[in-house]
């Protein structure tokens, strides 16, 4: 069933994005065990502030040695970004996520989580490289997928603009 683990885990992510106009971006991520696609739309912008809304759909299939199952999630996130300098920014916002879990041997479980995140962005090397530490905190308000209770996650992203 859903995870009740409190042990940190490590996974690899490869991602890419493409602009679909001045206010729309599509992205895709491949994880160690799954994938997701997202659409982000710019809602409002000024010289130092931006707001956007992002819809993300993702899923994974866990292998037999990890209790073979399928898991899916749809998430809506609000993003508020403040440019602090040419090298530094901070982004924060709320999110709501609905998830489903389908074990290979039958049954199902569902859940709804509310929460938010904050991250910092630092650019270096002609502003092409980025370091992005992020903290997110969510709480289940219905069901038990992916957790029954609260979840906190810290992630550290490193990226390069091509």
């Amino acid at each position: 069933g859903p995870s009740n683990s409190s042990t940190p885990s490590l996974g690899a992510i490869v991602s890419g994005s493409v602009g679909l106009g001045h206010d729309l971006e599509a992205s895709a991520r491949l994880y160690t065990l799954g994938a997701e696609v997202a659409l982000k739309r710019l809602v409002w912008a000024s010289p130092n502030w931006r707001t956007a809304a992002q819809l993300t759909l993702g899923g994974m299939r866990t292998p037999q040695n990890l209790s073979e199952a399928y898991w899916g999630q749809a998430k809506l996130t609000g993003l508020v970004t403040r440019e602090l300098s040419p090298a530094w920014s901070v982004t924060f916002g709320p999110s709501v996520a609905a998830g489903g879990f389908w074990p290979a041997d039958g049954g199902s479980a569902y859940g709804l989580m509310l929460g938010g995140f904050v991250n910092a962005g630092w650019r270096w090397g002609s502003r092409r490289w980025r370091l992005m530490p992020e903290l997110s905190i969510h709480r289940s308000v219905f069901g038990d997928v992916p957790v029954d209770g609260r979840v906190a996650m810290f992630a550290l992203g490193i990226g390069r603009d091509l």
Side-chain angles (χ1 to χ4, degrees):
S3 174
N4 60 4
S5 173
S6 60
T7 305
S9 62
L10 180 64
I13 300 172
V14 175
S15 66
S17 63
V18 62
L20 302 175
H22 79 282
D23 64 351
L24 190 63
E25 178 181 288
S27 62
R29 289 183 175 185
L30 297 177
Y31 294 91
T32 304
L33 297 174
E36 72 179 27
V37 294
L39 278 176
K40 180 170 62 173
R41 180 171 172 90
L42 180 66
V43 175
W44 176 82
S46 75
N48 294 322
W49 289 91
R50 288 187 314 277
T51 60
Q54 179 169 298
L55 175 62
T56 305
L57 301 174
M60 74 164 76
R61 179 182 180 270
T62 57
Q64 289 179 338
N65 63 340
L66 292 177
S67 181
E68 185 178 11
Y70 298 92
W71 179 83
Q73 180 174 329
K75 181 166 58 171
L76 181 61
T77 305
L79 299 105
V80 178
T81 300
R82 168 78 163 123
E83 298 294 334
L84 303 173
S85 73
W88 285 95
S89 65
V90 63
T91 301
F92 59 93
S95 67
V96 58
F101 180 80
W102 302 273
D105 58 0
S108 62
Y110 303 93
L112 182 69
M113 293 187 352
L114 301 176
F117 76 98
V118 61
N119 72 35
W122 176 56
R123 292 181 174 272
W124 79 94
S126 299
R127 309 290 184 256
R128 294 188 72 168
W129 286 94
R130 293 174 287 151
L131 182 66
M132 301 154 293
E134 179 173 301
L135 174 66
S136 67
I137 300 173
H138 290 80
R139 177 178 169 78
S140 293
V141 294
F142 169 78
D144 55 9
V145 173
V147 297
D148 182 9
R150 295 181 180 95
V151 61
M153 181 181 77
F154 176 76
L156 181 61
I158 299 173
R160 185 174 192 280
D161 295 337
L162 299 176

